[in-house]
């Protein structure tokens, strides 16, 4: 029992952000260079494993959806539909294991944004945050993108409401504007994705849009933490299945003092984590399960990371002071002349 | 009954093999502008189309010797260079025609043990060079016609008679079977084929198009295409983009080569070198060069320029937005005595 308590104490006092930093590097190597190590994770990965990147060990599920939706209604509701359901099941099985931690710990595009944030920190430039109104309004964009990436391929193969079919050049519409398509191949030395496609008006507009989104991605990530994640349709899709994830982030509202530490450290700027004292499951559509909130919570057992009902990592007063007070386990702040 | 079918097929194949009706081992001989790796330094490149030439010295009054290498096989990258001894074993004729359709002298020579055809370049426009080899195998006379259309141009020589000089020419009196690339209206001395371009090729048998024969095309990068000539004897080819740019390969002026060849057999009785034959198999090849797509680099440059401009505009926009939100410094002085 004593040994168990020691292990739990060690885990709760650990600096999870540091672990996350190294885990992200490991995941980045897997999802960007995995195929060079003969890793094959299939075609339904719940994170940006971009097939345009020659080193990718698999395919992001979004491209699978777009390909499978590019079919006639009759085909979709026959055996092809079974194929889609199998893909979806495979995606869900992957997703259920880590829930939205796929975004916080494994997404290569998210990792790049975190590196850009670190660079901004080093340069001493302040970051921006959305106000509450903008936050709520912008949160819908990812759902709109998700709906479009499903319906545009369907509208290529079918006439919807008697309207003319959409141009074939709109195939895989989200991939055409996704910054991962351009950025991730660069890490394998492939520069071929930076282009303006002059083949048709549609390809011209889409490739132009892709370049604009790319520029917006870099600048956005520089001034706003995890800028792109806010608009990511993968995040929206994941949230639809978030409730069945075995990895959970829970809150005991009675223990919350509404100090606001959790929302202040949140890279996504989620306010509800501090304000909501009634919900147990505090994972929202914008949450990426980085668990910075748990690290920053000084209340004993207020926020917990659980696998099913087993507590994996909990907020503790001691852990909070260990992480945020480098003077040691003392609850007092270090003297002012001491270097931090 | 089931077992009879394979036995019958095997017997048929054996009969055809022994009677010489099937002879798939006949390799195509073609003319290449690319020297073997070991001899690259011993030759020069001449003119804007970088024709392989004998070493060029300043003030050469005798003109430039253009060289074409004799190769055997169908792979553009890996075909063997035919040695002079191998070629001399065959009966061959060399024909060379100047841009003004005059027959000029072209010679067979040895360069590092490999066979080359040489001729003196003295005129602007397309030189047509042919190597015709004949050989009897079984009951078939194999006639292989290797053709090269070499556009000689150096801007210092001027740009006179462009239209006439770039026109395709055929010589049915001397060359029984050859492939002609139909010209575009905009072709001039500076014209190059590029990936993405569509061209029509026409195999001509004694000056007349042949329909329904197989035409093969191979590129240096390994792309192959098989086509059959239509009713008018044409095949249309769109050069695919088999050139993908890595940083190390970003060269707009990199030249790639292709080989197009066609063949067919006609029943014709005769004797060649005292050997009788019942069929004549004609094969002709044409090798030329192509460049990477014209728009490939343009689309990349546009992509990069738009990216950089957008990056700068957004960055400046955010900077200005932040500066405008800054409130000016104000000092409030409280007089505690009041």
């Amino acid at each position: 029992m004593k040994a168990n308590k020691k292990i739990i104490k060690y885990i709760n006092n650990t600096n999870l952000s540091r672990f996350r930093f190294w885990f992200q590097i490991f995941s980045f190597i897997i999802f960007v260079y995995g195929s060079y190590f003969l890793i094959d994770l299939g075609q339904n990965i719940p994170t940006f494993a971009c097939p345009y990147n020659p080193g990718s060990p698999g395919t992001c599920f979004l491209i699978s959806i777009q390909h499978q939706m590019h079919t006639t209604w009759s085909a979709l509701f026959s055996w092809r539909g079974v194929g889609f359901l199998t893909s979806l099941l495979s995606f869900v099985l992957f997703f259920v294991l880590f829930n939205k931690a796929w975004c916080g710990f494994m997404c290569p595009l998210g990792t790049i944004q975190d590196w850009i944030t670190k660079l901004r920190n080093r340069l001493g430039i302040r970051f921006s945050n959305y106000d509450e109104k903008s936050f709520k309004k912008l949160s819908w964009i990812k759902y709109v993108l998700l709906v479009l990436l499903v319906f545009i391929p369907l509208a290529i193969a079918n006439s919807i409401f008697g309207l003319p079919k959409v141009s074939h050049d709109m195939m895989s519409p989200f991939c055409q504007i996704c910054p991962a398509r351009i950025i991730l191949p660069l890490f394998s030395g492939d520069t071929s994705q930076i282009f303006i496609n002059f083949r048709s008006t549609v390809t011209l507009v889409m490739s132009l849009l892709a370049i604009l989104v790319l520029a917006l991605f870099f600048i956005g990530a520089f001034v706003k933490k995890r800028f792109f994640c806010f608009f990511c349709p993968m995040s929206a899709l994941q949230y639809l299945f978030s409730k069945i994830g075995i990895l959970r982030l829970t809150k005991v509202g009675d223990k919350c003092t509404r100090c606001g530490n959790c929302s202040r450290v949140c890279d996504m700027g989620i306010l509800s984590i501090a304000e909501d004292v009634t919900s147990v499951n505090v994972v929202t559509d914008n949450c990426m399960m980085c668990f910075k909130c748990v690290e920053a919570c000084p209340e004993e057992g207020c926020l917990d990371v659980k696998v099913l009902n087993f507590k994996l990592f909990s907020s503790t007063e001691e852990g909070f002071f260990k992480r945020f007070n480098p003077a040691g386990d003392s609850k007092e702040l270090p003297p002012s002349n001491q270097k931090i | 009954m089931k077992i009879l079918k394979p036995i019958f097929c095997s017997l048929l194949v054996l009969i055809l093999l022994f009677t010489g009706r099937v002879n798939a081992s006949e390799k195509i001989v073609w003319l290449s502008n690319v020297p073997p790796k070991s001899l690259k330094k011993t030759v020069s490149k001449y003119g804007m189309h970088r024709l392989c030439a004998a070493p060029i010295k300043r003030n050469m009054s005798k003109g430039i010797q253009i060289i074409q290498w004799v190769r055997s096989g169908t792979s553009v990258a890996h075909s063997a260079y035919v040695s002079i001894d191998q070629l001399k074993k065959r009966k061959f004729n060399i024909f060379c025609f100047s841009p003004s359709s005059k027959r000029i002298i072209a010679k067979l020579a040895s360069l590092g043990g490999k066979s080359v055809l040489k001729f003196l370049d003295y005129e602007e426009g397309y030189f047509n060079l042919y190597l015709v080899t004949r050989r009897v195998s079984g009951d078939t006379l194999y006639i292989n016609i290797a053709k090269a259309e070499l556009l000689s141009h150096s801007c210092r020589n001027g740009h006179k008679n462009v239209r006439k000089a770039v026109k395709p020419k055929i010589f049915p009196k001397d060359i029984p079977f050859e492939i002609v690339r139909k010209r575009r209206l905009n072709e001039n001395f500076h014209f190059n084929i590029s990936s993405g371009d569509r061209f029509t090729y026409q195999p001509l048998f004694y000056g007349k198009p042949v329909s329904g024969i197989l035409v093969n095309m191979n590129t240096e990068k390994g792309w192959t295409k098989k086509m059959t000539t239509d009713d008018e004897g044409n095949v249309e080819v769109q050069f695919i983009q088999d050139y993908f740019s890595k940083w190390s390969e970003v060269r707009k002026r990199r030249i790639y080569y292709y080989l197009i060849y066609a063949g067919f057999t006609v029943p014709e009785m005769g004797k060649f070198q005292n050997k009788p034959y019942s069929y004549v198999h004609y094969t002709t090849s044409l090798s030329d060069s192509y460049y990477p797509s014209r728009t490939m680099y343009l689309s990349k440059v546009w992509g990069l320029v738009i990216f950089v401009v957008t990056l700068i505009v957004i960055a400046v926009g955010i900077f200005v937005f932040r500066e405008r939100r800054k409130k000016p410094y104000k000092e409030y002085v409280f007089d505690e005595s009041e």
Side-chain angles (χ1 to χ4, degrees):
Chain A
M1 283 300 283
K2 262 192 176 179
N4 267 357
K5 272 188 180 175
K6 264 191 175 179
I7 293 168
I8 291 166
K9 191 181 164 189
Y10 176 78
I11 291 172
N12 288 342
N13 288 351
T14 195
N15 189 336
L16 192 70
S17 292
R18 194 175 296 161
F19 169 77
R20 182 169 156 257
F21 173 78
W22 289 107
F23 194 87
Q24 278 182 305
I25 290 176
F26 172 75
S27 304
F28 189 85
I29 292 166
I30 297 293
F31 287 111
V32 176
Y33 302 107
S35 76
Y36 299 127
F37 302 112
L38 304 178
I39 298 170
D40 184 3
L41 297 174
Q43 298 180 340
N44 306 301
I45 305 174
T47 192
F48 286 115
C50 184
Y52 291 89
N53 168 26
S56 174
T59 306
C60 139
F61 184 58
L62 292 183
I63 194 166
S64 285
I65 296 184
Q66 292 172 90
H67 272 283
Q68 301 203 44
M69 287 295 136
H70 185 185
T71 186
T72 56
W73 292 117
S74 55
L76 189 66
F77 292 107
S78 66
W79 285 105
R80 183 140 186 180
V82 178
F84 171 68
L85 289 177
T86 318
S87 297
L88 187 68
L89 185 72
S90 160
F91 162 80
V92 171
L93 287 176
F94 264 121
F95 174 74
V96 157
L97 294 176
F98 303 106
N99 206 339
K100 293 203 83 181
W102 278 100
C103 302
F105 283 73
M106 281 172 268
C107 177
L109 212 56
T111 304
I112 292 169
Q113 290 178 84
D114 286 345
W115 291 342
I116 294 172
T117 298
K118 278 197 192 312
L119 175 74
R120 178 188 51 74
N121 265 336
R122 284 272 169 95
L123 296 173
I125 297 168
R126 73 178 190 275
F127 66 90
S128 297
N129 248 336
Y130 300 124
D131 59 52
E132 210 175 332
K133 264 190 180 176
S134 313
F135 185 92
K136 279 179 184 166
K137 277 182 188 170
L138 293 174
S139 284
W140 282 101
I141 292 179
K142 56 177 162 294
Y143 293 103
V144 173
L145 288 175
L146 181 64
V147 170
L148 285 177
L149 75 83
V150 171
F151 277 95
I152 290 174
L154 276 170
I156 294 171
N158 306 282
S159 168
I160 295 176
F161 304 123
L163 293 167
K165 288 178 184 175
V166 173
S167 163
H168 214 274
D169 289 339
M170 284 289 279
M171 204 171 70
S172 305
F174 181 70
C175 293
Q176 289 195 44
I177 58 162
C178 177
R181 175 181 62 82
I182 303 173
I183 298 168
L184 298 184
L186 290 177
F187 285 90
S188 297
D190 180 2
T191 56
S192 62
Q193 295 299 321
I194 307 172
F195 60 80
I196 296 292
N197 193 341
F198 293 103
R199 202 177 67 195
S200 68
T201 317
V202 175
T203 56
L204 182 75
V205 171
M206 292 303 277
S207 55
L208 189 68
L209 209 59
I211 296 293
L212 298 181
V213 170
L214 179 74
L216 208 62
F217 172 87
F218 280 110
I219 295 288
F222 194 75
V223 291
K224 163 85 181 73
K225 293 174 193 171
R226 288 278 183 148
F227 167 79
F228 183 75
C229 301
F230 215 73
F231 312 106
C232 177
M234 179 67 91
S235 173
L237 182 69
Q238 286 183 353
Y239 186 61
L240 301 178
F241 301 96
S242 177
K243 289 213 163 71
I244 56 168
I246 59 168
L247 191 71
R248 290 165 192 173
L249 176 62
T250 58
K251 183 174 175 178
V252 182
D254 295 344
K255 293 179 180 175
C256 179
T257 57
R258 289 192 178 183
C259 67
N261 268 5
C262 46
S263 68
R264 267 196 296 278
V265 295
C266 180
D267 284 349
M268 297 298 291
I270 302 166
L271 285 173
S272 65
I273 184 112
E275 289 170 353
D276 187 359
V277 287
T278 51
S279 303
V280 177
N281 180 8
V282 281
V283 177
T284 61
D285 55 352
N286 291 313
C287 177
M288 56 164 175
M289 283 192 148
C290 64
F291 308 128
K292 277 188 175 180
C293 48
V294 187
E295 279 190 305
C297 180
E299 303 305 326
E300 206 75 33
C302 179
L303 285 168
D304 296 309
V305 180
K306 288 180 180 172
V307 173
L308 296 173
N309 276 331
F310 174 76
K311 280 184 190 173
L312 206 66
F313 182 59
S314 293
S315 60
T316 56
E317 194 182 358
E318 190 184 351
F320 169 77
F321 279 105
K322 276 228 170 189
R323 284 183 287 268
F324 292 89
N325 178 10
D329 55 0
S330 159
K331 289 180 185 176
E332 289 168 11
L333 285 170
S336 57
N337 60 353
Q338 189 179 326
K339 264 192 173 182
I340 299 171
Chain B
M1 283 300 283
K2 273 185 181 175
I3 202 156
L4 284 175
K5 203 175 172 183
I7 292 172
F8 177 73
C9 289
S10 315
L11 277 171
L12 189 68
V13 169
L14 283 170
I15 291 164
L16 288 171
L17 276 172
F18 282 106
T19 53
R21 288 288 299 278
V22 175
N23 194 337
S25 62
E26 184 67 16
K27 279 188 177 175
I28 288 164
V29 175
W30 56 284
L31 298 175
S32 167
N33 191 46
V34 186
K37 270 185 186 173
S38 58
L39 297 171
K40 260 186 183 171
K41 287 180 182 171
T42 60
V43 292
S44 308
K45 294 278 174 196
Y46 171 69
M48 77 170 297
H49 297 279
R50 288 152 65 184
L51 301 180
C52 188
I56 299 166
K57 291 167 191 168
R58 278 177 177 271
N59 304 319
M60 285 183 78
S61 54
K62 287 180 183 175
I64 308 292
Q65 286 273 359
I66 301 294
I67 294 171
Q68 291 297 293
W69 304 81
V70 183
R71 297 178 72 177
S72 169
T74 52
S75 162
V76 180
H78 307 293
S79 284
Y81 288 83
V82 178
S83 71
I84 192 89
D85 301 331
Q86 276 175 314
L87 194 63
K88 277 182 178 171
K89 280 178 192 168
R90 296 185 181 195
K91 170 82 180 153
F92 68 89
N93 299 93
I94 301 166
F95 298 89
C96 188
F97 299 92
S98 71
S100 50
S101 299
K102 284 177 192 165
R103 187 167 175 191
I104 58 168
I105 298 165
K107 288 175 186 170
L108 175 72
S110 171
L111 211 63
K114 308 292 179 195
S115 337
V116 292
L117 303 188
K118 276 181 176 183
F119 65 90
L120 201 66
D121 171 40
Y122 65 94
E123 204 178 335
E124 295 279 294
Y126 276 103
F127 282 85
N128 283 28
L129 181 66
Y130 302 90
L131 172 70
V132 184
T133 55
R134 288 182 174 84
R135 191 170 71 93
V136 175
S137 175
D139 63 350
T140 307
L141 170 67
Y142 288 92
I143 302 178
N144 187 108
I145 300 134
K147 176 184 176 183
E149 282 187 321
L150 302 155
L151 180 53
S152 168
H153 173 61
S154 183
C155 289
R156 76 181 78 163
N157 300 330
H159 301 82
K160 288 174 190 169
N161 299 322
V162 179
R163 303 291 318 143
K164 204 177 166 188
V166 299
K167 255 174 70 178
K169 292 175 285 288
I170 54 166
F171 305 94
K173 276 186 185 174
D174 300 302
I175 312 296
F177 186 41
E178 62 180 299
I179 296 178
V180 169
R181 179 177 62 80
K182 289 192 174 175
R183 304 292 195 259
R184 284 183 169 184
L185 281 172
N186 63 344
E187 285 196 31
N188 55 28
F189 287 146
H190 299 169
F191 182 79
N192 292 311
I193 300 172
S194 296
S195 288
D197 287 353
R198 203 180 276 275
F199 280 97
T200 303
Y201 291 84
Q202 194 175 45
L204 296 170
F205 186 55
Y206 288 107
K208 287 179 182 169
V210 201
S211 63
I213 62 163
L214 191 69
V215 179
N216 291 275
M217 184 169 181
N218 294 348
T219 67
E220 190 180 329
K221 286 276 186 177
W223 180 64
T224 62
K225 191 174 171 71
K226 286 186 178 189
M227 301 152 282
T228 308
T229 52
D230 60 15
D231 293 342
E232 289 166 0
N234 295 325
V235 285
E236 202 180 61
V237 183
Q238 184 172 27
F239 281 77
I240 63 155
Q241 184 189 315
D242 54 357
Y243 173 92
F244 296 96
S245 93
K246 295 173 189 165
W247 280 117
S248 56
E249 276 187 354
V250 177
R251 274 177 291 164
K252 196 181 171 182
R253 292 190 175 275
R254 169 81 157 89
I255 298 179
Y256 291 99
Y257 291 91
Y258 72 89
L259 169 69
I260 186 163
Y261 59 95
F264 70 103
T265 309
V266 286
E268 192 182 309
M269 306 278 270
K271 265 189 175 182
F272 180 74
Q273 291 177 328
N274 293 325
K275 287 179 186 171
Y277 59 84
S278 313
Y279 299 91
V280 182
H281 182 79
Y282 291 94
T283 312
T284 184
S285 62
L286 171 69
S287 174
D288 204 349
S289 60
Y290 66 101
Y291 281 76
S293 163
R294 291 180 194 90
T295 54
M296 188 171 123
Y297 291 98
L298 198 68
S299 64
K300 282 183 180 298
V301 169
W302 272 105
L304 209 61
V305 168
I306 291 171
F307 171 66
V308 172
V309 169
T310 317
L311 209 67
I312 293 167
V313 168
I314 299 172
V316 170
I318 288 172
F319 178 75
V320 171
F321 174 74
R322 283 185 165 189
E323 286 301 305
R324 284 175 124 189
R325 275 167 57 121
K326 273 184 187 172
K327 286 175 184 166
Y329 174 74
K330 277 183 185 174
E331 192 175 10
Y332 293 95
V333 181
F334 296 96
D335 189 354
E336 287 180 358
S337 61
E338 284 181 5

